[in-house]
Amino acid sequence: MIRNTLLTLICTVLPVVAQDARAIPAVETHAKNISVADTAAVSPRPEGSVYMGGFRAPKIENVRVAMIGVGERGFPQTAQMTAVPHCEVVAICDVYDDLANKAADYVNKKKGQRPAVYSGDTKAYIKMLEEVKPDAVIISTSWESHAEIAIAAMEHGAHAFVEVPLATTIEDLWRVVDASERTQKHCMMLENVNYGREELMFLNMVRQGLIGGLLHGEAAYIHPLCEQMHSEERGCGSWRTYHYANRTGNLYPTHGLGPVAQYMNIARTDDTFDRIVSFSSPALGRPNYAKKNFPADHKWNNMEFKCGDMSTSIIKTKAGRTIMVQWDETSPRPYDRKNLIQGTEGTLAGFPTRIAGTKISPGAKQSATPGQPGGAEIAESDGYHKWYQGKEAEKDMYAKWDHPLYTRLGKLAEEQGGHGGMDYIMLYRAIECLNNGEPMDQNVYEGALWSAVTPLSEKSVNEGGAPQVFPDFTRGDWKTTAPLPVVK
C-alpha cells in the first residue's frame, strides 16, 4: 500500500531527516517537563477544550471539501470524491500548478463546476482556507507537513482528514490532539486498510464474540519498494529513501496495526497501548540495491543507510494483550499485512484469508459422528487443528460474516477503485459521518496512538530495545469511549 508525497516542497524531508536518529532526545509533550517515558502525569485538558472521543459535530447536509495535495495519492482521492454523495469539491491546492489544474479539470468534467485552484506556493493552503472556508479538507501531502496543515485547517474551521501518519513526532501528535479539542473539529487519520473487506469481516466476527476473549494480534506492512529509488523527486517514493537513510525503527506501522487495534477496542473502553519494545535488523537491502542499480558516484551509493530492513516491535496493552508489529519495505518478500487476531476460542488471519476455532469450524466437508447417520457436524475440538482456507472457504466466510458496511457499499466501492475499494468506503464514511452528525470511525486519539509507534520504536531501537511508554492522548478518557460498532 503506497503512500506518496504530493506536496514535496511543503516541508522538505531533508532538513528533518538529516538529524542523526541516535541523538533524538526524550520528546516533551504539551505538559511541561513530561517526557515520552513518563505519561502518568499529563496535564488536565485546557479549559474550553472538549474530549473528542465519541464527539458529534453539527450535521452538514452538503459537505464542502477542499483537497490539499493532488499528486500520486491525492488525485485518485479527488476522483473518488466526485462519486461520494452529499459533498462537493470546492477547492484544490498543490504546490505544482499542473497537478492542481489537472485535478480541477477532472472535477469540472465530472460535476460541471470547476473548484477554485490554489498553487505555486508552500503556504497556498492558508489563503485557500481563508477565502474558500471549506467544511472539511483532505490532506495528502508529505509526512512532515501533515500536522502543520491539519492544525491550520482546524483553526480555520474545517474538519481535517489526514493521510498516514497523523504526525511524525510525539510533540506534533500532541499539538494535533490539542488543536482538535480546542477547535472542536474532527481530525481523522485516513487509514484505508480499516475499510478493507477482510478487515471489516474480521471486525464483524470479533464483535459477535466468535473467537472469544482477545489475547494477541499480529500486524505488518511488508512491501518491497526498492524500485522507488528510481522515482523522480516529485513523484512516488524517491523522497522516502532519505527516511531509510537517516532514521530507524518502524516508519510505517498503521496499515497493519489500525485494524488489529480496532478489533481490540484500543483507546475505547476495553484497553489501550501501554509499552513498546522494538528491534531492527541490519540495513543491507538498500545499499545492495543501490550498488547493483546505480552508478558508483550516485547519491544513493554515497549515503549511509541506518534504517534496518526489518523492524519488529512488541506492544503490551494495559489489559495484558500483546501485538507484534513488523515493517519491511526492502526485502524480497511477497506483500503481507499479517492481520491476525487470536482469541480464546479461535483465530482469524490474513494473507491468505483463513480462520480456525471452536465456534467457527466449517461444516462443509465434515465427517459423521459415530453411531449417527452421515453428515453430522464435526466435533468442536477439531475446529482448530487446521486452517479453513482457500477460494471456496473464503466465499463461505463472506457469505456468513461479511460486514454490513461492505454489503451496502462493496459493489460501488469496487467500481470506484482505490486499493480494491477500501479507499472509497473510507471517504464515503467520512462524509456520511459529517452528514449525519455521527462520531468518526477513527477518532483523533486512535490516529495519534497508532502513529506514535514510529517515534517510540525509533527511541526503543536506539536504546537497545528499551521499553517506551505510550502517551495517553485521551488523558484517561479512553475508558469512557464506546467501542466502534458494526456500522450498518
Side-chain angles (χ1 to χ4, degrees), residues 427-465:
L427 296 171
Y428 186 104
R429 275 294 296 163
I431 297 302
E432 184 174 64
C433 289
L434 293 180
N435 293 151
N436 298 334
E438 298 173 357
M440 289 294 143
D441 295 342
Q442 299 161 208
N443 62 44
V444 66
Y445 311 105
E446 291 169 303
L449 197 61
W450 307 345
S451 297
V453 167
T454 292
L456 294 181
S457 68
E458 290 183 82
K459 195 165 188 293
S460 181
V461 169
N462 292 322
E463 294 180 1

Side-chain angles (χ1 to χ4, degrees), residues 322-366:
T322 52
I323 305 173
M324 182 184 76
V325 190
Q326 291 188 311
W327 171 75
D328 185 342
E329 293 183 17
T330 302
S331 304
R333 289 180 56 176
Y335 185 94
D336 193 355
R337 294 195 303 268
K338 292 197 181 296
N339 192 32
L340 183 144
I341 184 71
Q342 180 177 324
T344 56
E345 297 185 66
T347 302
L348 315 176
F351 300 88
T353 304
R354 58 201 192 277
I355 62 176
T358 57
K359 288 186 176 180
I360 52 178
S361 55
K365 295 181 180 179
Q366 297 176 343

Side-chain angles (χ1 to χ4, degrees), residues 189-247:
M189 186 175 73
L190 294 172
E191 183 39 76
N192 58 345
V193 173
N194 286 65
Y195 296 90
R197 188 178 188 183
E198 178 187 270
E199 286 78 7
L200 286 171
M201 179 177 71
F202 285 3
L203 178 66
N204 188 26
M205 296 174 75
V206 168
R207 289 292 186 270
Q208 292 185 37
L210 295 176
I211 63 170
L214 303 184
L215 304 169
H216 172 74
E218 294 179 12
Y221 184 69
I222 296 172
H223 189 183
L225 294 174
C226 283
E227 70 277 3
Q228 288 185 342
M229 296 170 74
H230 296 279
S231 302
E232 295 296 327
E233 289 295 334
R234 85 173 221 174
C236 169
S238 181
W239 59 275
R240 295 171 82 146
T241 307
Y242 296 103
H243 287 272
Y244 305 131
N246 292 286
R247 304 169 64 189

Side-chain angles (χ1 to χ4, degrees), residues 57 130 148 223 230 245 274 299 349 351 355 381 470:
E130 292 173 347
E148 175 188 356
H223 189 183
H230 296 279
D274 185 11
K299 59 184 176 181
F351 300 88
I355 62 176
S381 60
F470 279 92

Side-chain angles (χ1 to χ4, degrees), residues 4-63:
N4 327 300
T5 183
L6 309 164
L7 281 169
T8 47
L9 297 182
I10 280 185
C11 193
T12 182
V13 171
L14 292 173
V16 177
V17 301
Q19 304 174 19
D20 189 336
R22 292 170 292 188
I24 294 176
V27 180
E28 290 191 354
T29 69
H30 71 298
K32 293 181 179 179
N33 301 320
I34 303 299
S35 72
V36 169
D38 179 14
T39 58
V42 172
S43 64
R45 184 169 290 108
E47 186 176 354
S49 295
V50 173
Y51 178 58
M52 299 298 289
F55 178 79
R56 296 174 179 269
K59 296 179 181 179
I60 306 175
E61 184 176 352
N62 185 65
V63 183

Side-chain angles (χ1 to χ4, degrees), residues 353 355 362 388-399 401:
T353 304
I355 62 176
Y388 183 49
Q389 61 183 327
K391 291 184 178 180
E392 289 302 314
E394 188 171 333
K395 184 178 179 181
D396 179 45
M397 292 178 219
Y398 287 124
W401 300 301

